Amino acid sequence: MYSTRHLLHGLPPQGIGTLIVDRDRVRFIAGLLRGLGGFLECFERVDPQFGAVRLVVERLGCGKSAVLVVANSLVSYQLSTTGEVYWTEFAKWVVSSTGGLYEVHRGFLESTRFNRARLLDKLDRLSRFYASRLAAELEADPLRYCGNLPGLVEELARTMGGSPEDKTIAFAGKMLRYVCLACGSETRGDVAVPVDRRNALLLLAGCLVRGCGGSLDECVGLLMTRHKRTALAALRELCATAGVDCVKLDALTWALAGALTGRRRMDEILEAVKGCLGGERIEIVSGLYSEFSKCLEPRTRGV
């Protein structure tokens, strides 16, 4: 996690300030992103969460997988491990268990040591989703929303009570895209990038959002809560200016944030996508990593 002693570069360690989108930085980084063109899927294909989804699809089929994956997205917050570890454990559990989907999923949530925070709230969310019309529709016709991802997040927001831009609901849109890809179906339409810790970190570390004079922890937390609209505006503008779908961008930002926090090595990330991207685009990714750490003090990298 990020320590409160780690500050954003060049800002005083007191006072939060007013967070604003730096549109010059957005345009500059969007120019780099544009160079990746249609190759963001390279990062999706090597995302361990996609590997977890693919395992579930291969063992359980598309219908059950769509329900399980969307349901798990709704409770994937405040984890005590990385998303990669959590989703891998989830996939192994559900493919080796028997019983109804809700019972299997509830058993996993009650047993995992990685998702204990607010457990009763999460169990309630699971119960409401599995009892919904949407869950039944997804099991019967799992690819119905592949051609309309915005329709999925809108219906999910109505079902659960919330906004299509809420972190877990937007994340469910991304994860359903993974189900679609694993089932051999492309997707259409876009959904918001989830404003979670890693994307909030990148916005601050890349100078796309400026004005926070607190600690890194404070600034990330503020961008996820009171200033979430600022984060969403920055991410929407970045995607629109770069001409990329936000739902595809999230796999790249996941990888970059992993390198920035020391959870993954950048050379390993580049090696994983080298065959897909080629040399010129590898250089673009390296440049993006440098730009997305521009506003961090050097000692904060790899924490």
Side-chain angles (χ1 to χ4, degrees), residues 37-294:
F39 287 83
L40 288 176
E41 193 170 321
C42 295
F43 292 89
E44 294 180 306
R45 295 291 184 176
V46 299
D47 183 350
Q49 292 178 132
F50 176 70
V53 170
R54 186 170 51 197
L55 173 63
V56 178
V57 167
E58 289 171 352
R59 300 286 185 85
L60 301 181
C62 296
K64 292 180 179 179
S65 299
V67 178
L68 285 163
V69 167
V70 170
N72 202 45
S73 301
L74 295 174
V75 296
S76 291
Y77 59 94
Q78 295 183 7
L79 304 177
S80 60
T81 187
T82 64
E84 295 96 324
V85 170
Y86 174 73
W87 276 84
T88 299
E89 184 191 54
F90 167 74
K92 290 178 178 177
W93 176 281
V94 299
V95 301
S96 61
S97 302
T98 58
L101 296 184
Y102 170 68
E103 287 73 22
V104 167
H105 203 159
R106 181 186 178 101
F108 168 73
L109 202 57
E110 290 177 331
S111 67
T112 180
R113 68 184 189 277
F114 297 135
N115 199 358
R116 308 303 297 171
R118 299 179 62 184
L119 180 59
L120 291 179
D121 290 342
K122 292 171 181 176
L123 289 171
D124 177 66
R125 283 172 74 81
L126 275 192
S127 178
R128 285 191 289 129
F129 174 73
Y130 276 104
S132 71
R133 182 187 67 183
L134 177 59
E137 289 175 345
L138 283 172
E139 186 169 8
D141 187 5
L143 305 185
R144 65 177 296 165
Y145 286 107
C146 293
N148 183 18
L149 288 181
L152 179 277
V153 296
E154 288 166 8
E155 183 60 35
L156 191 56
R158 282 191 291 269
T159 298
M160 302 306 296
S163 164
E165 294 176 336
D166 287 348
K167 178 173 64 175
T168 56
I169 291 176
F171 181 57
K174 167 192 170 176
M175 296 305 286
L176 185 73
R177 169 171 162 80
Y178 281 1
V179 173
C180 295
L181 294 178
C183 291
S185 178
E186 261 296 341
T187 62
R188 286 190 291 178
D190 202 8
V191 299
V193 177
V195 182
D196 53 17
R197 291 193 68 86
R198 59 198 169 84
N199 283 319
L201 169 67
L202 287 179
L203 289 174
L204 293 163
C207 326
L208 284 80
V209 173
R210 296 182 184 266
C212 187
S215 71
L216 187 53
D217 257 351
E218 290 171 328
C219 296
V220 167
L222 192 67
L223 201 54
M224 292 170 59
T225 53
R226 281 194 291 153
H227 285 265
K228 186 174 79 169
R229 292 294 171 194
T230 302
L232 286 167
L235 289 164
R236 277 196 300 267
E237 187 170 340
L238 178 65
C239 295
T241 307
V244 302
D245 289 338
C246 282
V247 72
K248 298 178 182 179
L249 178 65
D250 195 54
L252 171 61
T253 60
W254 182 283
L256 294 177
L260 199 60
T261 57
R263 289 175 172 169
R264 299 181 68 185
R265 287 172 45 189
M266 196 62 203
D267 59 344
E268 292 176 348
I269 293 170
L270 295 176
E271 182 64 28
V273 295
K274 182 172 64 175
C276 182
L277 288 181
E280 182 180 342
R281 294 184 184 89
I282 286 290
E283 292 301 316
I284 293 174
V285 177
S286 296
L288 282 168
Y289 176 68
S290 297
E291 292 300 327
F292 271 116
S293 58
K294 194 176 184 70

